[in-house]
Amino acid sequence: MNKWFLNLSDREQQLAKSGIVFLILALFLAFVYLPVNRSLASKHMRLQSLNQQLVQMEQSLATKQGVQTQGSVPNDVTFSAWLDQQMVRLSLQTLVTRAEPVDENTMTLWLQNAPFDKVVDWLTNIESAFGVSVIQVDVVAKDKANGLCDIRMTLVK
């Protein structure tokens, strides 16, 4: 190969050297620079998306922390009795299969064939109005067409 190259005229040798440099640059561009550049652009877009999600989560958290409850669970009645009253008001009491107090501020409820939307609305309402929150919930869909499910949830005042 070296003998062949030396047999070329000076102009042909210069042209071959230029071609090799051009070929090396083209291969570098195609196999190193462009893939790395695409990857960096993709990573940059992903980073921007994650930063936007972080800002939204921080705003949501600030909003959530800024929301004040309108009231609290009355002190003259036990938490379990108060929950019972709240559920009777919405006709959810008949769906309770088991209610187990954990302590004076915590209650675990089991509901069977409960309308999911109605339970979620009730939980949202008691959280915003009375500061009662759900610390654990297990939901098993029973009748997806009608939105019925079995629910086990732990509530804390």
Side-chain angles (χ1 to χ4, degrees), residues 48 103 106:
Q48 285 179 334
D103 58 35
T106 309

Side-chain angles (χ1 to χ4, degrees), residues 121-138:
D121 290 342
W122 173 66
L123 291 173
T124 304
N125 181 35
I126 66 170
E127 181 177 16
S128 64
F130 301 101
V132 175
S133 59
V134 179
I135 58 170
Q136 180 184 5
V137 65
D138 294 320

Side-chain angles (χ1 to χ4, degrees), residues 40-53:
L40 286 175
S42 171
K43 301 288 187 222
H44 182 69
M45 289 176 51
R46 176 79 173 136
L47 179 63
Q48 285 179 334
S49 171
L50 290 173
N51 281 335
Q52 184 179 10
Q53 284 180 344

Side-chain angles (χ1 to χ4, degrees), residues 2-17:
N2 191 23
K3 194 175 193 182
W4 169 81
F5 183 75
L6 293 175
N7 285 338
L8 296 175
S9 68
D10 289 339
R11 188 167 175 88
E12 289 173 335
Q13 286 180 2
Q14 188 66 25
L15 184 63
K17 288 177 187 177

Side-chain angles (χ1 to χ4, degrees), residues 19-139:
I20 289 173
V21 168
F22 178 76
L23 181 63
I24 290 172
L25 285 176
L27 290 174
F28 176 79
L29 180 71
F31 293 111
V32 177
Y33 178 76
L34 289 177
V36 169
N37 194 28
R38 283 189 200 115
S39 176
L40 286 175
S42 171
K43 301 288 187 222
H44 182 69
M45 289 176 51
R46 176 79 173 136
L47 179 63
Q48 285 179 334
S49 171
L50 290 173
N51 281 335
Q52 184 179 10
Q53 284 180 344
L54 176 63
V55 167
Q56 289 173 347
M57 287 181 190
E58 287 172 342
Q59 289 173 348
S60 176
L61 179 63
T63 302
K64 179 74 174 163
Q65 288 176 341
V67 172
Q68 296 295 322
T69 58
Q70 298 172 357
S72 63
V73 177
N75 290 331
D76 60 340
V77 62
T78 64
F79 185 50
S80 59
W82 180 83
L83 278 175
D84 191 49
Q85 292 169 359
Q86 296 295 315
M87 295 184 82
V88 166
R89 245 182 17 164
L90 294 173
S91 304
L92 291 173
Q93 182 58 34
T94 57
L95 305 173
V96 176
T97 57
R98 183 176 170 192
E100 182 179 296
V102 177
D103 58 35
E104 64 183 35
N105 295 326
T106 309
M107 182 82 163
T108 302
L109 298 172
W110 284 263
L111 286 78
Q112 191 169 20
N113 292 324
F116 181 79
D117 291 338
K118 192 173 185 178
V119 173
V120 170
D121 290 342
W122 173 66
L123 291 173
T124 304
N125 181 35
I126 66 170
E127 181 177 16
S128 64
F130 301 101
V132 175
S133 59
V134 179
I135 58 170
Q136 180 184 5
V137 65
D138 294 320
V139 178

